[in-house]
Amino acid sequence: MARLKVTVAYDGTDFAGYQIQPSGRTVQGTIQSVLQKMHKGEAVQISASGRTDAGVHAVGQVFHFDTEMNIPSDAWGKALNAMLPGDILIKDVAEVPDSFHSRFSASSKEYHYKLLVSKEPDVFRRNHMFHYPYPLNIRDIQKACGYFLGTHDFTSFSSARSEVADKVRMIFALELLEEGETLTFKIKGSGFLYNMVRIITGTLLEVGQGKRKPEEIKAIIAGEDRALAGKTAPAHGLYLYQVNY
Amino acid sequence: MARLKVTVAYDGTDFAGYQIQPSGRTVQGTIQSVLQKMHKGEAVQISASGRTDAGVHAVGQVFHFDTEMNIPSDAWGKALNAMLPGDILIKDVAEVPDSFHSRFSASSKEYHYKLLVSKEPDVFRRNHMFHYPYPLNIRDIQKACGYFLGTHDFTSFSSARSEVADKVRMIFALELLEEGETLTFKIKGSGFLYNMVRIITGTLLEVGQGKRKPEEIKAIIAGEDRALAGKTAPAHGLYLYQVNY
């Protein structure tokens, strides 16, 4: 029995999310059905670092699974990619100790949120960037970013549907990069609550529009109330970029 | 009665091509059904500069239609975009004289063909660039490009299914641009035969791989035989970039 750690990219557009469901095309379901074929019909359960919602993408999602099949790590990637559809790409497969767990062993995660700030939308990137045609004060957004850094209770920035008891998380880095008409928020933290990156992004966009002052972030965090923060930015701009161990 | 010239971008991924068909989602069918709604149920026929195949994209396709509706040109674009799906974007609407015809008035067309030359495919661009992981001799390709310029009979570079009698066309420009892992062929000509850009691209890639010498292009053109040229490059790398009048 070997435990394999797999790094995978996917385009979330045509998936009803990462997690397997009774109906609907999911990333987990698609990968598990390919693994089941490789294991001669035997069901294989994969375990990811976390779920992603419908429309959310991954550049470097990580999952693990156990197998009795004796295939070298390199060959696993090629075999899986040959059977998987074009919107899922296995990037790396590595053998890991039995103690490794894609979720519990993770030390930090990085998400990116991409915006297209052009006047006109772009038909070719409509599923991969949030089109935001309004003027933004970048300096104010950057100033507001600073207030998120460090260890805080992020109740205000998590969906009311979140069922986790402990909402304290640590944000290591949050920066906004400008490249022509593309803006990218890069956020790295110990872990993230449900919808946390999308609510942080939505709130920062309201700061950029002048609807909120950068300093208000402090009070929004302190208030521990979802109603204080801004709108949840749409799913299709979000990428699970990297999981660190 | 006014004649309107419309410039439109579309992502060809989810269309069975530009031209309306008895079944299958088409660009023409989608636009005509929106125009029909705007014209209170009356059918409106649109006429494009040419059709594009399933999977082929457009940055600047042009069509025209006649209408009795009295709407300013600017408002037409907004009204249409509000009703059209996200993979079609009206970029410009202008009133033109009755003598204007999107196909017959066109003086030249420009197509782009995009390749991703990275080792790994990119899940996010799989429908918008042809992934080509093999080494290419760019200098040889650029040398070969020169043989296409000018006026030639392009029988060798048109699909056997082409029904046009006169296969003489003039190529004004053909260049290959490198930007990181992206290669773009830009080709401009008086007009193009069925599959012509895709067969030229496929042949140039065989030159780049060393399977053919740049000088062979001359004999392939002179032979006037489709069997002499290379493979047809896939549809999803091709963009109708601009139609000039």
Side-chain angles (χ1 to χ4, degrees):
Chain A
M1 181 77 81
R3 177 157 291 193
L4 296 175
K5 173 192 177 224
V6 183
T7 307
V8 62
Y10 47 81
D11 178 344
T13 307
D14 295 330
F15 291 104
Y18 170 80
Q19 196 173 46
I20 199 163
Q21 294 175 10
S23 71
R25 184 176 182 255
T26 64
V27 177
Q28 185 184 5
T30 304
I31 295 171
Q32 287 186 175
S33 96
V34 164
L35 283 172
Q36 187 165 358
K37 274 180 207 149
M38 289 178 70
H39 288 77
K40 297 168 187 173
E42 200 189 324
V44 178
Q45 175 95 15
I46 67 173
S47 185
S49 73
R51 57 184 92 169
T52 54
D53 278 343
V56 173
H57 315 291
V59 170
Q61 167 73 290
V62 172
F63 66 84
H64 73 265
F65 69 100
D66 295 326
T67 182
E68 310 246 2
M69 285 188 75
N70 204 358
I71 302 178
S73 300
D74 304 357
W76 266 109
K78 282 181 189 167
L80 287 167
N81 282 328
M83 293 173 79
L84 285 166
D87 47 358
I88 299 182
L89 179 73
I90 304 296
K91 300 186 86 168
D92 187 60
V93 180
E95 201 173 328
V96 285
D98 285 359
S99 58
F100 175 87
H101 191 288
S102 57
R103 183 167 163 212
F104 303 119
S105 308
S107 56
S108 68
K109 273 187 179 178
E110 182 171 344
Y111 281 91
H112 289 181
Y113 195 97
K114 288 193 186 179
L115 298 133
L116 180 67
V117 294
S118 61
K119 203 183 148 202
E120 273 196 348
D122 181 339
V123 287
F124 305 109
R125 296 191 280 183
R126 73 192 184 285
N127 297 319
H128 300 132
M129 297 174 87
F130 175 33
H131 179 233
Y132 199 81
Y134 316 107
L136 287 171
N137 184 324
I138 301 295
R139 284 204 136 195
D140 275 1
I141 295 178
Q142 284 167 332
K143 200 174 163 194
C145 284
Y147 293 101
F148 288 97
L149 300 180
T151 305
H152 305 282
D153 183 308
F154 283 101
T155 300
S156 299
F157 294 91
S158 80
S159 163
R161 287 196 286 152
S162 171
E163 287 164 4
V164 192
D166 178 11
K167 296 191 176 167
V168 174
R169 296 290 182 276
M170 184 172 169
I171 302 294
F172 305 133
L174 171 52
E175 52 174 345
L176 175 61
L177 273 88
E178 276 189 279
E179 261 185 297
E181 297 183 321
T182 301
L183 290 186
T184 308
F185 285 104
K186 298 189 177 186
I187 184 164
K188 200 171 162 177
S190 61
F192 293 88
L193 300 164
Y194 189 53
N195 277 355
M196 183 166 152
V197 180
R198 290 166 57 189
I199 300 170
I200 289 176
T201 301
T203 307
L204 287 170
L205 290 175
E206 292 176 15
V207 170
Q209 276 204 286
K211 291 182 185 169
R212 296 167 186 270
K213 286 188 176 150
E215 307 78 50
E216 284 178 48
I217 299 297
K218 225 173 156 174
I220 299 172
I221 293 175
E224 297 185 13
D225 177 0
R226 170 66 186 92
L228 297 173
K231 283 188 195 158
T232 305
H236 66 274
L238 185 62
Y239 295 72
L240 172 51
Y241 187 75
Q242 195 169 278
V243 187
N244 302 301
Y245 296 92
Chain B
M1 180 76 82
R3 178 157 291 192
L4 297 174
K5 174 193 176 219
V6 182
T7 307
V8 61
Y10 49 81
D11 178 342
T13 307
D14 295 330
F15 291 105
Y18 170 80
Q19 196 173 47
I20 199 163
Q21 293 175 11
S23 71
R25 183 176 182 257
T26 65
V27 177
Q28 185 184 4
T30 304
I31 295 171
Q32 287 185 175
S33 95
V34 164
L35 283 172
Q36 186 165 359
K37 274 180 207 149
M38 289 179 70
H39 288 78
K40 298 168 187 173
E42 198 188 326
V44 178
Q45 175 94 17
I46 66 172
S47 184
S49 73
R51 58 183 92 169
T52 53
D53 277 343
V56 174
H57 315 291
V59 171
Q61 167 71 289
V62 173
F63 66 83
H64 74 265
F65 69 100
D66 296 324
T67 182
E68 309 246 1
M69 286 188 75
N70 204 359
I71 303 179
S73 300
D74 304 357
W76 267 107
K78 283 180 189 167
L80 287 167
N81 282 329
M83 295 172 79
L84 285 165
D87 49 358
I88 300 182
L89 179 74
I90 304 296
K91 300 187 86 169
D92 187 61
V93 179
E95 200 174 328
V96 286
D98 286 359
S99 59
F100 175 87
H101 190 288
S102 58
R103 183 168 163 211
F104 302 119
S105 306
S107 57
S108 68
K109 273 186 179 178
E110 183 171 344
Y111 281 91
H112 289 180
Y113 195 97
K114 289 195 186 176
L115 298 134
L116 180 67
V117 295
S118 60
K119 202 183 151 203
E120 272 197 348
D122 180 339
V123 287
F124 305 109
R125 296 191 279 185
R126 72 192 184 286
N127 297 319
H128 300 131
M129 296 175 87
F130 175 34
H131 178 234
Y132 199 83
Y134 315 108
L136 286 172
N137 184 324
I138 301 294
R139 285 204 135 197
D140 275 0
I141 295 178
Q142 283 166 335
K143 200 175 165 193
C145 284
Y147 293 102
F148 287 97
L149 301 180
T151 306
H152 304 283
D153 183 306
F154 283 101
T155 300
S156 299
F157 294 91
S158 79
S159 162
R161 287 196 286 152
S162 170
E163 287 163 5
V164 192
D166 179 11
K167 296 188 174 166
V168 174
R169 296 290 183 276
M170 185 172 169
I171 302 294
F172 305 133
L174 172 52
E175 51 174 345
L176 175 60
L177 272 88
E178 275 188 280
E179 261 185 298
E181 297 183 319
T182 301
L183 291 186
T184 308
F185 285 104
K186 299 189 174 184
I187 184 164
K188 200 170 161 178
S190 60
F192 293 89
L193 300 164
Y194 188 54
N195 276 357
M196 184 167 152
V197 179
R198 290 166 58 189
I199 300 170
I200 289 175
T201 302
T203 307
L204 286 170
L205 290 175
E206 293 178 13
V207 169
Q209 276 203 287
K211 292 183 184 168
R212 295 168 187 268
K213 287 191 174 145
E215 307 78 47
E216 283 178 48
I217 300 296
K218 224 173 156 175
I220 299 171
I221 294 175
E224 297 185 15
D225 178 0
R226 170 68 186 92
L228 299 173
K231 282 188 197 159
T232 305
H236 66 275
L238 185 62
Y239 295 72
L240 172 52
Y241 187 75
Q242 194 169 278
V243 187
N244 302 300
Y245 294 93

